[in-house]
Amino acid sequence: MTNRPAQRQPLLSEREMEIVALVAAGLKNQEIAQRLEISKRTVDNHISNILSKTATENRVALVRWALQSGKVCVDGVNCCLLPE
């Protein structure tokens, strides 16, 4: 077991967290845009900002980050309520 310094959770807006949840649910950018009634370009920009803020390189790493930090619940996994 490695001792790692505590890492601060990045501050994501409510909209960014909504997009993270939709990415974790497997939606493509165009599907997210349609669901949220925004342009695909806006979704692309949000995801780019989210990847930067979370220091993740792609959608898979983003979903892994979201699960590990208790930000999303996928198919009944990681569904306990965590304190903010």
Side-chain angles (χ1 to χ4, degrees), residues 63-80:
V63 171
R64 186 167 189 235
W65 168 85
L67 285 167
Q68 288 177 333
S69 58
K71 302 293 185 187
V72 296
C73 170
V74 177
D75 296 331
V77 175
N78 205 40
C79 294
C80 63

Side-chain angles (χ1 to χ4, degrees), residues 16-76:
E16 288 170 334
M17 284 307 307
E18 191 174 6
I19 289 173
V20 169
L22 294 171
V23 169
L27 274 65
K28 297 176 184 170
N29 288 12
Q30 185 61 46
E31 295 168 324
I32 294 170
Q34 290 170 343
R35 172 93 46 105
L36 300 179
E37 299 180 349
I38 58 178
S39 74
K40 181 187 172 293
R41 173 108 177 159
T42 299
V43 174
D44 294 342
N45 288 336
H46 277 306
I47 290 179
S48 177
N49 292 337
I50 293 165
L51 293 176
S52 187
K53 286 181 179 182
T54 59
T56 54
E57 294 183 17
N58 54 52
R59 295 166 85 88
V60 173
L62 174 61
V63 171
R64 186 167 189 235
W65 168 85
L67 285 167
Q68 288 177 333
S69 58
K71 302 293 185 187
V72 296
C73 170
V74 177
D75 296 331

